[in-house]
Protein backbone atom coordinates (compact mmCIF):
# COMPACT_ATOMS: atom_id res chain seq x y z
CA UNK A 1 0.00 0.00 0.00
CA UNK A 2 1.50 3.35 -0.91
CA UNK A 3 1.56 6.39 1.37
CA UNK A 4 -1.44 8.02 -0.27
CA UNK A 5 -3.63 4.95 0.17
CA UNK A 6 -2.76 4.88 3.86
CA UNK A 7 -3.79 8.49 4.33
CA UNK A 8 -7.10 9.13 6.12
CA UNK A 9 -7.58 12.31 4.07
CA UNK A 10 -8.39 11.68 0.41
CA UNK A 11 -7.08 14.52 -1.71
CA UNK A 12 -9.49 15.77 -4.36
CA UNK A 13 -8.14 14.61 -7.72
CA UNK A 14 -8.71 18.01 -9.32
CA UNK A 15 -6.62 19.96 -6.80
CA UNK A 16 -5.83 22.79 -6.64
CA UNK A 17 -9.43 24.01 -6.53
CA UNK A 18 -8.53 27.71 -6.68
CA UNK A 19 -5.53 29.57 -8.09
CA UNK A 20 -4.69 33.28 -8.50
CA UNK A 21 -5.87 33.00 -12.13
CA UNK A 22 -9.43 32.38 -10.88
CA UNK A 23 -9.55 35.78 -9.18
CA UNK A 24 -11.02 38.69 -11.18
CA UNK A 25 -8.82 41.32 -9.47
CA UNK A 26 -5.01 41.31 -9.33
CA UNK A 27 -3.57 38.99 -6.65
CA UNK A 28 -0.37 36.99 -6.35
CA UNK A 29 -1.73 34.13 -4.22
CA UNK A 30 -4.91 32.50 -2.94
CA UNK A 31 -4.75 30.39 0.22
CA UNK A 32 -5.79 29.75 3.82
CA UNK A 33 -9.56 29.69 3.43
CA UNK A 34 -12.39 29.56 5.95
CA UNK A 35 -15.44 27.76 4.53
CA UNK A 36 -19.05 27.40 5.75
CA UNK A 37 -22.36 26.26 4.34
CA UNK A 38 -24.85 29.11 4.04
CA UNK A 39 -28.32 28.62 2.53
CA UNK A 40 -27.24 25.28 1.04
CA UNK A 41 -24.19 26.80 -0.69
CA UNK A 42 -20.55 26.80 0.32
CA UNK A 43 -19.06 30.20 1.06
CA UNK A 44 -15.29 30.48 1.16
CA UNK A 45 -13.28 33.41 2.53
CA UNK A 46 -9.67 33.25 1.44
CA UNK A 47 -6.47 35.20 1.82
CA UNK A 48 -4.55 36.73 -1.09
CA UNK A 49 -1.20 38.50 -1.21
CA UNK A 50 -1.03 41.67 -3.24
CA UNK A 51 2.17 42.77 -4.94
CA UNK A 52 2.75 45.10 -2.01
CA UNK A 53 3.31 41.93 0.05
CA UNK A 54 0.25 42.72 2.16
CA UNK A 55 -2.87 40.56 2.28
CA UNK A 56 -6.59 40.99 1.67
CA UNK A 57 -9.55 38.60 1.93
CA UNK A 58 -11.73 37.48 -0.98
CA UNK A 59 -14.97 35.52 -1.21
CA UNK A 60 -15.84 32.55 -3.41
CA UNK A 61 -19.05 30.52 -3.67
CA UNK A 62 -19.84 26.97 -4.68
CA UNK A 63 -22.80 24.63 -5.09
CA UNK A 64 -20.83 21.48 -4.31
CA UNK A 65 -17.82 22.47 -2.18
CA UNK A 66 -15.39 21.62 -5.01
CA UNK A 67 -15.91 24.19 -7.79
CA UNK A 68 -15.78 27.78 -6.53
CA UNK A 69 -16.45 31.06 -8.30
CA UNK A 70 -14.77 34.19 -6.92
CA UNK A 71 -16.78 37.35 -6.37
CA UNK A 72 -15.74 40.37 -8.45
CA UNK A 73 -14.58 42.51 -5.52
CA UNK A 74 -12.50 41.67 -2.41
CA UNK A 75 -14.57 40.95 0.71
CA UNK A 76 -12.36 42.47 3.42
CA UNK A 77 -9.46 44.90 3.18
CA UNK A 78 -7.67 47.01 5.80
CA UNK A 79 -10.23 49.22 7.56
CA UNK A 80 -10.42 52.89 6.66
CA UNK A 81 -12.42 53.76 9.79
CA UNK A 82 -14.49 52.17 12.55
CA UNK A 83 -13.58 50.10 15.61
CA UNK A 84 -10.47 48.38 14.24
CA UNK A 85 -9.06 51.16 12.02
CA UNK A 86 -5.27 51.13 12.19
CA UNK A 87 -5.16 47.66 13.76
CA UNK A 88 -4.97 46.06 10.30
CA UNK A 89 -3.06 48.72 8.38
CA UNK A 90 -0.53 46.11 7.17
CA UNK A 91 -3.11 43.58 6.02
CA UNK A 92 -5.79 41.06 6.90
CA UNK A 93 -5.03 37.33 6.82
CA UNK A 94 -6.25 33.79 7.46
CA UNK A 95 -10.03 34.18 7.92
CA UNK A 96 -12.00 31.60 9.91
CA UNK A 97 -15.80 31.53 9.83
CA UNK A 98 -18.09 30.08 12.52
CA UNK A 99 -21.88 30.11 12.54
CA UNK A 100 -23.13 30.86 16.07
CA UNK A 101 -26.85 31.16 16.71
CA UNK A 102 -27.60 31.92 13.05
CA UNK A 103 -24.92 34.57 12.55
CA UNK A 104 -21.50 34.16 10.92
CA UNK A 105 -18.51 35.34 12.93
CA UNK A 106 -15.22 35.87 11.13
CA UNK A 107 -11.90 35.94 12.95
CA UNK A 108 -8.85 37.09 11.02
CA UNK A 109 -5.28 38.15 11.65
CA UNK A 110 -4.83 41.91 11.64
CA UNK A 111 -1.30 43.21 11.11
CA UNK A 112 -0.13 46.64 12.20
CA UNK A 113 3.02 48.40 13.31
CA UNK A 114 2.24 47.03 16.80
CA UNK A 115 2.30 43.36 15.75
CA UNK A 116 -0.26 40.75 14.83
CA UNK A 117 -3.62 40.57 16.61
CA UNK A 118 -6.94 38.94 15.78
CA UNK A 119 -10.04 40.91 14.82
CA UNK A 120 -13.69 39.86 14.80
CA UNK A 121 -16.32 40.72 12.19
CA UNK A 122 -19.90 39.52 11.76
CA UNK A 123 -22.30 38.98 8.87
CA UNK A 124 -25.66 37.31 8.33
CA UNK A 125 -25.58 37.14 4.55
CA UNK A 126 -21.97 37.64 3.33
CA UNK A 127 -23.16 40.85 1.64
CA UNK A 128 -22.86 43.30 4.53
CA UNK A 129 -20.05 42.85 7.03
CA UNK A 130 -19.70 44.59 10.36
CA UNK A 131 -16.36 44.88 12.13
CA UNK A 132 -16.87 44.20 15.82
CA UNK A 133 -13.54 44.65 17.64
CA UNK A 134 -9.93 43.57 17.82
CA UNK A 135 -10.10 40.76 20.35
CA UNK A 136 -6.51 39.83 21.24
CA UNK A 137 -3.34 41.55 22.22
CA UNK A 138 -0.17 41.12 20.17
CA UNK A 139 1.42 38.64 19.46
CA UNK A 140 -1.60 36.41 18.88
CA UNK A 141 -2.91 34.70 15.73
CA UNK A 142 -5.20 31.85 14.73
CA UNK A 143 -8.37 32.36 16.72
CA UNK A 144 -11.08 29.75 16.08
CA UNK A 145 -14.51 30.04 17.71
CA UNK A 146 -16.54 27.08 18.90
CA UNK A 147 -19.95 27.08 17.16
CA UNK A 148 -22.02 27.29 20.33
CA UNK A 149 -21.81 28.56 23.88
CA UNK A 150 -20.58 25.99 26.37
CA UNK A 151 -21.62 26.46 30.01
CA UNK A 152 -23.21 29.76 28.92
CA UNK A 153 -19.99 31.23 27.54
CA UNK A 154 -18.39 31.62 24.13
CA UNK A 155 -15.19 29.62 23.74
CA UNK A 156 -12.22 29.97 21.45
CA UNK A 157 -8.85 28.36 20.79
CA UNK A 158 -6.08 30.88 20.23
CA UNK A 159 -2.35 31.03 19.77
CA UNK A 160 -0.45 33.64 21.75
CA UNK A 161 3.31 33.65 21.34
CA UNK A 162 6.09 34.72 23.65
CA UNK A 163 9.69 33.63 23.94
CA UNK A 164 9.05 31.76 27.17
CA UNK A 165 5.82 30.10 25.95
CA UNK A 166 6.28 29.64 22.21
CA UNK A 167 3.45 28.95 19.74
CA UNK A 168 1.03 26.76 21.70
CA UNK A 169 -2.76 26.32 21.52
CA UNK A 170 -4.67 28.03 24.34
CA UNK A 171 -8.35 28.15 25.27
CA UNK A 172 -10.19 31.32 26.38
CA UNK A 173 -13.77 32.19 27.39
CA UNK A 174 -16.02 35.19 26.88
CA UNK A 175 -19.49 36.41 27.88
CA UNK A 176 -19.87 38.53 24.71
CA UNK A 177 -17.26 37.48 22.06
CA UNK A 178 -15.33 40.73 22.71
CA UNK A 179 -13.85 40.36 26.21
CA UNK A 180 -11.86 37.15 26.69
CA UNK A 181 -10.15 35.59 29.68
CA UNK A 182 -9.51 32.58 31.91
CA UNK A 183 -6.97 31.54 29.29
CA UNK A 184 -4.95 28.39 29.68
CA UNK A 185 -2.70 26.35 27.48
CA UNK A 186 -4.17 23.09 26.14
CA UNK A 187 -1.75 21.75 23.48
CA UNK A 188 1.97 22.41 23.21
CA UNK A 189 4.51 21.53 20.53
CA UNK A 190 6.03 18.16 21.36
CA UNK A 191 9.86 17.87 21.18
CA UNK A 192 11.21 15.37 18.61
CA UNK A 193 7.83 15.25 16.92
CA UNK A 194 6.38 16.48 13.58
CA UNK A 195 4.94 19.59 15.30
CA UNK A 196 7.88 20.29 17.60
CA UNK A 197 8.34 23.95 16.59
CA UNK A 198 4.79 25.39 16.61
CA UNK A 199 1.18 24.37 16.89
CA UNK A 200 -1.80 26.61 16.18
CA UNK A 201 -5.56 26.25 15.73
CA UNK A 202 -6.61 25.65 12.12
CA UNK A 203 -10.27 25.07 11.28
CA UNK A 204 -13.00 26.03 13.79
CA UNK A 205 -13.77 22.92 15.90
CA UNK A 206 -16.91 20.97 15.07
CA UNK A 207 -19.02 18.63 17.16
CA UNK A 208 -18.78 14.86 16.74
CA UNK A 209 -20.19 12.05 18.91
CA UNK A 210 -16.66 11.57 20.30
CA UNK A 211 -15.97 15.23 21.15
CA UNK A 212 -15.03 18.51 19.47
CA UNK A 213 -12.74 17.74 16.56
CA UNK A 214 -10.11 20.39 15.98
CA UNK A 215 -7.87 20.32 12.91
CA UNK A 216 -4.72 22.28 13.68
CA UNK A 217 -1.40 23.07 12.04
CA UNK A 218 1.97 21.96 13.30
CA UNK A 219 5.41 23.07 12.19
CA UNK A 220 8.73 21.24 12.03
CA UNK A 221 11.97 23.14 11.50
CA UNK A 222 14.51 21.61 9.09
CA UNK A 223 17.83 22.75 7.59
CA UNK A 224 15.73 23.71 4.55
CA UNK A 225 13.21 25.80 6.49
CA UNK A 226 9.90 24.98 8.12
CA UNK A 227 7.36 22.31 7.09
CA UNK A 228 3.69 23.04 7.85
CA UNK A 229 1.42 20.01 8.28
CA UNK A 230 -2.09 19.35 9.62
CA UNK A 231 -2.98 17.42 12.74
CA UNK A 232 -6.14 16.45 14.64
CA UNK A 233 -7.15 16.84 18.29
CA UNK A 234 -10.26 15.91 20.24
CA UNK A 235 -11.68 18.03 23.09
CA UNK A 236 -14.42 17.04 25.58
CA UNK A 237 -17.85 18.31 24.52
CA UNK A 238 -18.88 19.72 27.90
CA UNK A 239 -15.41 21.02 28.82
CA UNK A 240 -13.21 21.66 25.75
CA UNK A 241 -10.26 22.57 27.98
CA UNK A 242 -10.07 18.81 28.57
CA UNK A 243 -8.13 17.32 25.65
CA UNK A 244 -9.24 13.74 25.06
CA UNK A 245 -6.46 12.97 22.61
CA UNK A 246 -4.12 14.53 20.07
CA UNK A 247 -3.32 12.25 17.15
CA UNK A 248 0.31 11.25 17.24
CA UNK A 249 0.67 11.51 13.47
CA UNK A 250 -0.08 14.26 10.99
CA UNK A 251 -3.10 13.88 8.70
CA UNK A 252 -1.99 16.03 5.72
CA UNK A 253 1.52 17.07 4.72
CA UNK A 254 2.90 18.90 1.67
CA UNK A 255 3.10 16.30 -1.11
CA UNK A 256 1.68 17.68 -4.34
CA UNK A 257 3.92 19.95 -6.45
CA UNK A 258 1.77 23.03 -5.60
CA UNK A 259 2.26 22.31 -1.89
CA UNK A 260 5.99 21.70 -2.14
CA UNK A 261 6.84 24.87 -4.05
CA UNK A 262 5.20 28.26 -4.31
CA UNK A 263 5.14 31.56 -2.44
CA UNK A 264 6.33 29.72 0.70
CA UNK A 265 7.46 26.16 0.05
CA UNK A 266 6.43 23.06 2.04
CA UNK A 267 3.18 24.42 3.46
CA UNK A 268 -0.29 23.03 3.98
CA UNK A 269 -2.35 25.33 6.23
CA UNK A 270 -6.04 25.03 7.07
CA UNK A 271 -8.57 27.64 8.18
CA UNK A 272 -11.75 25.69 7.42
CA UNK A 273 -13.48 22.32 7.34
CA UNK A 274 -17.12 21.52 6.60
CA UNK A 275 -18.64 18.45 8.30
CA UNK A 276 -21.29 16.78 6.16
CA UNK A 277 -24.36 14.76 7.09
CA UNK A 278 -22.93 11.58 5.58
CA UNK A 279 -20.19 11.44 8.24
CA UNK A 280 -17.44 12.91 6.08
CA UNK A 281 -15.69 16.24 6.36
CA UNK A 282 -14.39 18.48 3.60
CA UNK A 283 -11.04 19.92 4.65
CA UNK A 284 -9.66 23.01 2.85
CA UNK A 285 -6.02 23.99 2.94
CA UNK A 286 -3.65 26.45 1.35
CA UNK A 287 -0.82 24.87 -0.68
CA UNK A 288 2.59 26.61 -0.43
CA UNK A 289 0.73 29.85 0.44
CA UNK A 290 -0.17 29.98 -3.29
CA UNK A 291 -3.27 27.92 -4.12
CA UNK A 292 -6.26 26.32 -2.38
CA UNK A 293 -6.69 22.55 -2.14
CA UNK A 294 -9.20 20.26 -0.47
CA UNK A 295 -9.67 16.69 0.59
CA UNK A 296 -12.26 14.57 2.36
CA UNK A 297 -12.05 12.22 5.32
CA UNK A 298 -14.42 10.11 7.39
CA UNK A 299 -14.96 12.00 10.63
CA UNK A 300 -14.89 8.78 12.64
CA UNK A 301 -11.48 7.88 11.22
CA UNK A 302 -10.10 11.18 12.51
CA UNK A 303 -11.68 10.95 15.97
CA UNK A 304 -10.48 7.33 16.24
CA UNK A 305 -6.95 8.43 15.35
CA UNK A 306 -7.05 10.96 18.20
CA UNK A 307 -8.34 8.40 20.68
CA UNK A 308 -6.48 5.26 19.68
CA UNK A 309 -3.09 6.69 18.74
CA UNK A 310 -2.75 9.72 21.01
CA UNK A 311 0.54 11.39 21.71
CA UNK A 312 1.47 11.97 25.36
CA UNK A 313 -0.59 14.72 27.06
CA UNK A 314 0.88 18.13 28.04
C1 LIG B 1 2.08 31.31 9.19
C2 LIG B 1 0.99 32.23 8.69
C3 LIG B 1 0.16 31.52 7.63
C4 LIG B 1 1.07 30.93 6.55
C5 LIG B 1 2.17 30.10 7.19
C6 LIG B 1 3.15 29.54 6.18
O1 LIG B 1 2.90 31.96 10.14
O2 LIG B 1 1.58 33.40 8.13
O3 LIG B 1 -0.71 32.45 7.06
O4 LIG B 1 0.30 30.11 5.70
O5 LIG B 1 2.87 30.89 8.12
O6 LIG B 1 3.82 30.57 5.50
Amino acid sequence: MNRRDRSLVRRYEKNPILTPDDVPYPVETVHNAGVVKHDGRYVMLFRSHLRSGRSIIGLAESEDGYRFRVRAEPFLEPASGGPSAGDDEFGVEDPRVTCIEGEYFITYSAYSRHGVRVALARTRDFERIERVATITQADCRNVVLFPRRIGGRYVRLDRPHTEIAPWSIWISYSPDLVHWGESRVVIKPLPYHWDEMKVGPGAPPFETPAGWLSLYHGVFQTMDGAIYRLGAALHALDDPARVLGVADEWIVQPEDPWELTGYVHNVVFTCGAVPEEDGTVKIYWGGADSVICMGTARIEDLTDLCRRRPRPPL
Side-chain angles (χ1 to χ4, degrees):
M1 201 192 252
N2 71 26
R3 275 191 312 156
R4 288 218 172 198
D5 295 336
R6 270 194 291 126
S7 174
L8 298 182
V9 179
R10 243 189 61 221
R11 287 170 140 81
Y12 180 47
E13 63 273 13
K14 293 194 183 140
N15 274 344
I17 58 167
L18 210 72
T19 76
D21 295 338
D22 299 318
V23 181
Y25 45 89
V27 295
E28 293 300 302
T29 66
V30 295
H31 59 127
N32 299 5
V35 186
V36 282
K37 257 189 188 166
H38 166 58
D39 275 351
R41 298 162 63 79
Y42 296 76
V43 177
M44 169 190 278
L45 301 183
F46 61 92
R47 170 180 173 193
S48 286
H49 286 94
L50 305 176
R51 284 203 176 176
S52 62
R54 296 182 180 174
S55 294
I56 60 171
I57 292 170
L59 185 149
E61 287 167 291
S62 168
E63 303 291 335
D64 60 8
Y66 297 90
R67 289 164 301 165
F68 282 85
R69 205 175 39 253
V70 179
R71 201 178 271 179
E73 302 291 334
F75 184 65
L76 193 71
E77 297 177 277
S80 48
S84 46
D87 289 356
D88 59 10
E89 59 178 340
F90 294 163
V92 290
E93 304 187 357
D94 298 2
R96 274 89 175 188
V97 194
T98 307
C99 184
I100 308 177
E101 294 159 18
E103 196 168 2
Y104 297 96
F105 289 90
I106 303 157
T107 53
Y108 54 97
S109 305
Y111 275 81
S112 77
R113 66 196 70 193
H114 306 303
V116 58
R117 301 170 66 191
V118 173
L120 177 74
R122 67 206 296 172
T123 182
R124 285 192 180 274
D125 53 11
F126 293 97
E127 299 297 334
R128 288 170 305 272
I129 177 169
E130 182 199 338
R131 283 170 143 102
V132 179
T134 304
I135 56 168
T136 71
Q137 295 175 311
D139 179 5
C140 190
R141 293 180 115 262
N142 305 312
V143 166
V144 297
L145 300 173
F146 284 75
R148 62 172 168 81
R149 290 186 235 207
I150 303 166
R153 294 185 298 176
Y154 298 100
V155 188
R156 76 183 191 195
L157 300 175
D158 50 34
R159 215 283 300 276
H161 171 66
T162 63
E163 260 174 41
I164 51 171
W167 298 299
S168 301
I169 298 178
W170 292 60
I171 194 163
S172 309
Y173 302 87
S174 171
D176 58 5
L177 287 167
V178 173
H179 304 91
W180 293 86
E182 286 183 45
S183 305
R184 52 191 268 212
V185 65
V186 286
I187 302 175
K188 285 162 81 166
L190 186 65
Y192 290 95
H193 199 254
W194 66 268
D195 60 5
E196 71 173 2
M197 183 189 181
K198 302 182 183 187
V199 293
F206 58 90
E207 194 164 346
T208 79
W212 295 105
L213 184 60
S214 162
L215 305 179
Y216 71 97
H217 66 267
V219 186
F220 186 83
Q221 186 65 36
T222 75
M223 295 301 283
D224 186 36
I227 306 177
Y228 277 73
R229 300 185 172 100
L230 306 186
L234 203 57
H235 298 246
L237 286 180
D238 56 341
D239 175 15
R242 200 155 59 85
V243 176
L244 303 176
V246 181
D248 192 44
E249 41 190 77
W250 69 72
I251 57 162
V252 183
Q253 71 155 350
E255 280 176 17
D256 280 325
W258 46 84
E259 297 161 349
L260 297 169
T261 59
Y263 194 83
V264 180
H265 67 280
N266 280 331
V267 175
V268 295
F269 192 98
T270 188
C271 291
V274 177
E276 303 285 6
E277 274 168 15
D278 66 358
T280 65
V281 56
K282 292 187 172 67
I283 306 171
Y284 296 86
W285 63 85
D289 284 2
S290 301
V291 297
I292 296 172
C293 305
M294 64 90 63
T296 52
R298 288 185 58 237
I299 292 170
E300 206 180 339
D301 287 348
L302 299 178
T303 56
D304 281 356
L305 189 73
C306 297
R307 286 196 298 191
R308 298 215 184 109
R309 308 264 310 267
R311 60 186 234 188
L314 270 188

